[in-house]
Amino acid sequence: MRALVIDDSRAMRRIVGGILADLGYEVRPAGHGREALDVLEEGSRTGWLPDLACVDWNMPVMDGLQFVSAVRSNPAYRSMSLMMVTTESETGQIVRALAAGAHEYVIKPFTPDAMRDKLALLGLLPQAVAR
Amino acid sequence: MTAAAVQEPITGLLDAATVLAVADDVWTSLVGDGEVLVPLPLPAPAETVSAWVQITGPWCGAVVVSCAEATAEALTGCLLRARPPAVLEPEDVEDALGELANVLGGNVKAVLPGPSALGLPQAGPNPPAARPGDLCRVDAQWRGQFLTITVQGATGAPHAERTR
């Protein structure tokens, strides 16, 4: 399985990417939404489209909500699951993200187990791990 | 100035125990299981580094984390323990301390009146100035080293005491 980890913090990209890699994901990082869209556009040409994108909310250039909206407006990315991974914990923000098209929402700080539980809800735990 | 534009001092909105409870949760999840922030003050080292995020909403201000450079490096090592870089660059330390401030800031924002917006984390030796008396500060130790978390009102925000 493939995942795109989008966060302006390189530490958080390593943390989230590490959790996913330990679960068997092939992970690519992006520092903001625009860079992530570039990865997807390139992936459309090369055949590397992720099953999952973990998306921070507050980022420079293009924030997570704008990224989610952009992805959801493109039918080519319809099969990709979107998981917000953010410090934004107000109910109104969560509703906005889900309304924009995010499938799951993880509030920082989180534990690897919490992220694994969310992936299980999405049916995105690799089979070898889920057993 | 209208009453709606007046900002409550932070001491009327949260206390140090609340900030410490937020920090405890962040420490356990992000810094590491068993890592503890002890609320006992230590003398500040000669030089400190800080990271902060701004909160903008009904309450405007910043959440600032300050510690010695060596403490920031140790914190970075903990955050990146699962995937440590071959060489720890200064940018890694700034970034990790910034992310710590970001997560603290987001969780502090959650207990303040909203809706509010969180700015992008910044780091450096000179955090924004606090308005005197309008701050909630946790003086603590992590692994026996100086560390403070300060929630402080923005100097430019219209404060309640100005109108009284």
Side-chain angles (χ1 to χ4, degrees), chain A residues 7-123:
Chain A
D7 199 304
D8 57 325
S9 163
R10 66 165 90 179
M12 196 49 71
R13 290 197 300 271
R14 275 180 174 270
I15 292 167
V16 175
I19 292 169
L20 294 171
D22 286 345
L23 292 172
Y25 274 86
E26 180 189 341
V27 179
R28 291 193 184 174
H32 51 71
R34 182 63 253 174
E35 188 181 337
L37 288 178
D38 290 344
V39 171
L40 293 179
E41 285 165 18
E42 173 71 15
S44 295
R45 290 192 293 273
T46 62
W48 196 95
L49 280 178
D51 304 284
L52 167 74
C54 293
V55 191
D56 185 21
W57 189 304
N58 296 304
M59 296 181 286
V61 185
M62 177 186 278
D63 69 26
L65 196 64
Q66 292 171 316
F67 172 80
V68 168
S69 298
V71 165
R72 281 292 159 252
S73 67
N74 188 333
Y77 307 143
R78 192 170 292 154
S79 64
M80 183 169 55
S81 293
L82 299 173
M83 180 189 287
M84 297 298 294
V85 183
T86 174
T87 61
E88 294 287 353
S89 58
E90 291 169 20
T91 304
Q93 300 289 70
I94 297 172
V95 169
R96 281 179 71 197
L98 297 177
H103 298 94
E104 263 301 346
Y105 203 98
V106 176
I107 296 170
K108 299 175 185 173
F110 56 86
T111 61
D113 284 347
M115 176 155 285
R116 185 180 155 131
D117 290 346
K118 294 287 188 179
L119 291 172
L121 287 173
L122 290 171

